[in-house]
Amino acid sequence: MGAAGDILELSARGLAAAIRGGELSASEVARAYLEQIDALEPSLHAYRRVTPELALAQAAAVDDARRAGQALGPLAGVPVALKDIFVTEGVETTSGSAILAGWIPPYQGAHARRLAEAGAVLLGKLTMDEFGMGSANENTPFEPVHNPWALSHVAGGSSGGSAAAVAARSCALALGSDTGGSIRQPASLCNLVGLKPTYGRVSRHGMIAFASSLDQAGPMAREVGDAALALGVLAGADPLDATSLDAPVPDYLAAVDQGARGGLDGAKIGVHRGALELEGLDADVRARFEASLTRLEDAGARVVDIELPHFEHAVATYYVLATAEASSNLARYDGVRYGHRSAADSLRQTYEATRHDGFGPEVKRRILLGTFVLRAESYADYYGRAMKVRTLIARDYARAFERCDLIASPTAPIPSWPLGAKIDDPLALYLLDMFTIGANLAGLPAISIPAGFTSAAPRLPIGVQLIGPRLAEPALLGAAAAHEARCDWHREQPQLLEARA
Ligand code: GLN
């Protein structure tokens, strides 16, 4: 072993084992990934910032520790990259916004800290829609990311840089954040596994807030086992996040191995058929979804019909609550304490000019919408009502889980689309979130897994989503592994890499 191509094709789990066993050094792995980033970034734009010195220093420390016979962490030597929403001490963190350009955090967030403690090597920070608001990575003052499966197409969003980098073998594993699908949707558009954990399973400390009651961090990976490995490192209570859950962290890798070997043993998979009849579901997406159900049945699962009576109200509910929370969270960007400042004659004018210059159009749209729904005159009609519907949606899921173990649906109603094609139609983009936001509103864990490709060119990835009850990550990962064991899509290389070979 040792050729760069072989290194890049290893899973994160495989890399960790090879480094622990001394077959590969962490330094040669880091170098192979840094070379890949150099080669691909001009056409991909997945990275906002690459941190080669840090990566090589962390890798050398892993190699030194191994030589000294010290115990290595579960991610020792594995090259990872973080969505730029995660705070990294000493490394610029922008959350995709010009208002934070140049901000060097004085503290380490929970995610970068836990990854470093587990021995991971940080390659850099990944591009995203500004503050996580978007589905195509085009809401950005920086260069938008391209999809490695078709460079003219979007990689999804808001964790589009994370998805593109993992799919293009520009990192072994990435973290994304998911407020309304931002881990799962780009994962589905880039042939990846994307896991949004139960609300509170992973700390939010050091994850720049968008909508605090919905935000959750999670892994994006090429294989189910890699997502499990990362979740095991990230999960657990954190005294710095009062909403983090103090529940024991199970052995996620054991759940994956059990699912891959043993199948699903009568697990009931619920399908809300009504959702598939809604306008806008692509024919290939539907066909791949049905094929995945068959695959889960082959693994021993039983598919049952369920009802989610308030499914159609989820998008509207989400866009009232998420914008309300965002309008409050983003009030802190005033040009006084963080990042960009547009100096003006008075304090008030400085606030106004800073926010006018620093925020992009989608972020402004959401702040305005959120401020409107929170006004005393409209609070009861919008915010109050949306909170009630959120309760009904959560109840729908709770009732459904009396009849089934997991719920399956497509992840996104359509595959990727050409860059620029939907940029002027925010409402059309919001509707693409219909399958993903229910899990956020109800606080449930959900995973997107590769489910095949479109039938016509360009050949684009399609994902399928599984949602579980609270803290059912082991069951989700087990079912995802059983599915993965019956297909080979996760081994396919995107067009971008084939062109290079
Ligand atoms: N499409 C969603 C939005 O624009 C994605 C949000 C997210 O998960 N960060 O709000």
Side-chain angles (χ1 to χ4, degrees), residues 117-474:
E117 284 168 4
V121 166
L122 183 68
L123 293 172
K125 308 295 293 290
L126 298 159
T127 62
M128 55 182 285
D129 283 295
E130 189 174 354
F131 286 107
M133 300 173 186
S135 305
N137 234 159
E138 293 178 307
N139 296 334
T140 171
F142 311 123
E143 194 72 45
V145 66
H146 296 237
N147 190 320
W149 293 90
L151 283 177
S152 55
H153 280 54
V154 304
S158 64
S159 313
S162 305
V166 178
R169 283 63 170 158
S170 283
C171 62
L173 193 67
L175 294 197
S177 67
D178 193 312
T179 304
S182 280
I183 288 175
R184 292 161 285 156
Q185 183 260 18
S188 81
L189 268 48
C190 291
N191 195 43
L192 299 177
V193 176
L195 173 65
K196 181 201 91 73
T198 306
Y199 183 78
R201 178 74 288 190
V202 175
S203 171
R204 290 184 297 110
H205 171 66
M207 181 167 80
I208 293 177
F210 164 7
S212 307
S213 78
L214 303 160
D215 297 343
Q216 187 58 195
M220 301 173 73
R222 279 179 250 149
E223 297 183 11
V224 178
D226 291 357
L229 179 64
L231 182 62
V233 167
L234 295 169
D238 180 354
L240 296 175
D241 172 7
T243 64
S244 72
L245 294 170
D246 192 8
V249 177
D251 185 344
Y252 296 119
L253 282 170
V256 168
D257 290 341
Q258 199 182 333
R261 274 198 313 269
L264 291 176
D265 198 22
K268 280 189 266 173
I269 309 283
V271 177
H272 172 46
R273 291 262 156 210
L276 305 176
E277 304 311 328
L278 296 176
E279 218 181 302
L281 186 63
D282 176 88
D284 276 332
V285 170
R286 178 156 196 163
R288 298 318 315 161
F289 173 63
E290 299 293 349
S292 279
L293 289 182
T294 306
R295 198 160 277 110
L296 291 166
E297 283 177 328
D298 290 346
R302 203 146 63 77
V303 174
V304 299
D305 284 343
I306 52 139
E307 296 292 328
L308 298 170
H310 300 90
F311 180 87
E312 282 180 68
H313 302 297
V315 171
T317 305
Y318 169 86
Y319 278 94
V320 169
L321 297 178
T323 55
E325 293 187 30
S327 74
S328 162
N329 274 326
L330 270 56
R332 72 189 69 169
Y333 303 105
D334 54 11
V336 175
R337 287 162 295 182
Y338 313 95
H340 174 79
R341 173 185 304 164
S342 302
D345 292 341
S346 68
L347 183 62
R348 191 189 164 97
Q349 282 170 355
T350 298
Y351 290 158
E352 286 175 359
T354 296
R355 290 169 69 81
H356 175 272
D357 299 342
F359 289 135
E362 179 65 20
V363 172
K364 285 180 186 154
R365 186 178 296 128
R366 303 232 186 162
I367 292 174
L368 287 173
L369 203 58
T371 306
F372 173 78
V373 303
L374 287 176
R375 284 188 327 156
E377 301 90 318
S378 38
Y379 187 93
D381 284 344
Y382 293 98
Y383 187 80
R385 198 174 287 183
M387 284 298 279
K388 289 181 188 157
V389 181
R390 180 180 192 171
T391 302
L392 294 176
I393 288 170
R395 200 177 291 162
D396 285 352
Y397 281 99
R399 293 216 171 114
F401 285 125
E402 290 168 9
R403 295 179 37 83
C404 66
D405 301 297
L406 301 173
I407 295 174
S409 75
T411 305
I414 58 170
S416 176
W417 57 92
L419 279 150
K422 294 184 191 296
I423 203 161
D424 296 324
D425 195 350
L427 210 54
L429 283 176
Y430 297 172
L431 286 170
L432 298 182
D433 298 336
M434 63 183 186
F435 291 115
T436 44
I437 54 191
N440 301 84
L441 289 167
L444 302 172
I447 193 167
S448 179
I449 52 177
F453 294 85
T454 53
S455 43
R459 195 164 169 270
L460 298 166
I462 290 171
V464 157
Q465 173 179 246
L466 296 170
I467 303 179
R470 270 164 61 87
L471 295 176
E473 283 86 356

